[in-house]
Amino acid sequence: MKPLASHFRAAFTLLEVALAVMIIGLTSIGVFGFVKSTLRGVSASVEDVEMQLEVERVVELVQEELYSLPARGQAMLTGKFFKNGDTNFDSMEWRSRGGSGLLTTAATGEYRVQIRIQPLKDDESKYEIGFWRRPALLDTAGGLVQGGSDKDETWVPLIKGAKSLTLRYWEPRLGQLVNQWQDQSSRPTFVVIGIEREGDENPYEAWLAVPSAQTQQQ
Amino acid sequence: MKIFSLRRGFLLLEAMLAVAIFALAMLALARCVQNCLQAEKFRRTEGLAQRALANYFVQVESGSIPLTDKATEELKGAYAGMTMVMTKTDLKLTNEKDQEIFGLFDVNLALSWVESGDTITRSMKFILYPRQK
């Protein structure tokens, strides 16, 4: 005969264990989903910050170049449409002698540098923003001489997945923004640059001062 | 008969306690997610506000926005919902010869917007010598 006590020390039934495992399983799935979505959120946030920094860095580069523009000189800054196929894109061109504008300190002479947007070579439905560089003055033993051609042009892609680049120039004589800047002897007071990337809600917009314009007007 | 009475299940109170603990844990998790989302939104708005202030500063400095004692502007586009208040005060400064320096202003830009029912303000202060026309 079995002792009575062994009947009372009943273990969990299979149903109870199965139920407990199911509850733990469901809770684990819930917690895993939460952790996964949090990690995805963090990753999206980091990606967004990186993209933002990329755009900000390019804008700062342009600002540095605008700060470095000399007060005197012809065609130091121009803004015109850059034609690619049937489409016109905004572009801005300035003169640079190495450093941030050329993204190298090794270059000698003077270069024409343009910020512009253009389609990718291997996929024309996608665009990138970058600097186009072309020698304008060559550094020779006798000093700087006119030279260089479009054959020597180079392209530095800076922002992938770009959607649009807008450039507007403040014309102080009209008191309004204009789409192009073709006056070779003067400078706009400031330049408004707008960069939009794929997936952006709003374009990144920055108002960049051109200090040499103030000097010219005084 | 006594055997069956000893194999009891959970009490209603125990079950309710377990459910309450679980619900509290879920609430804490939900709060956590909400905080993360809010922090992300706050970061974006802060970035936007900094840009709005920097852009406005360039316009004031270049003279494209006239300098007045007090001006209020509702911003548009990406900055919709933000209000910029510009105030100007004369700076009373003297040079090393104790002569008064004219034409310098203390300019304050205050940008405010409403977020989750609270009004948030970010400001920027700078000294300006307006361009002479």
Side-chain angles (χ1 to χ4, degrees), chain A residues 12-57:
Chain A
F12 292 113
T13 64
L14 179 61
L15 184 69
E16 288 167 342
V17 172
L19 197 69
V21 168
M22 206 171 80
I23 292 170
I24 292 171
L26 282 174
T27 316
S28 304
I29 289 172
V31 171
F32 176 72
F34 163 73
V35 172
K36 201 173 152 185
S37 63
T38 308
L39 287 176
R40 201 182 299 154
V42 169
S43 152
S45 174
V46 168
E47 205 176 300
D48 185 57
V49 170
E50 282 175 354
M51 277 164 56
Q52 182 98 349
L53 285 175
E54 201 176 34
V55 172
E56 278 175 10
R57 185 64 198 123

Side-chain angles (χ1 to χ4, degrees), chain A residues 34 45 48 190 207 214 217, chain B residues 33 40 43 55 58 62 131:
Chain A
F34 163 73
S45 174
D48 185 57
F190 54 82
W207 299 59
Q214 311 272 2
Q217 285 157 21
Chain B
V33 173
E40 176 63 17
R43 183 189 66 77
N55 289 346
V58 172
S62 63
R131 201 153 48 87

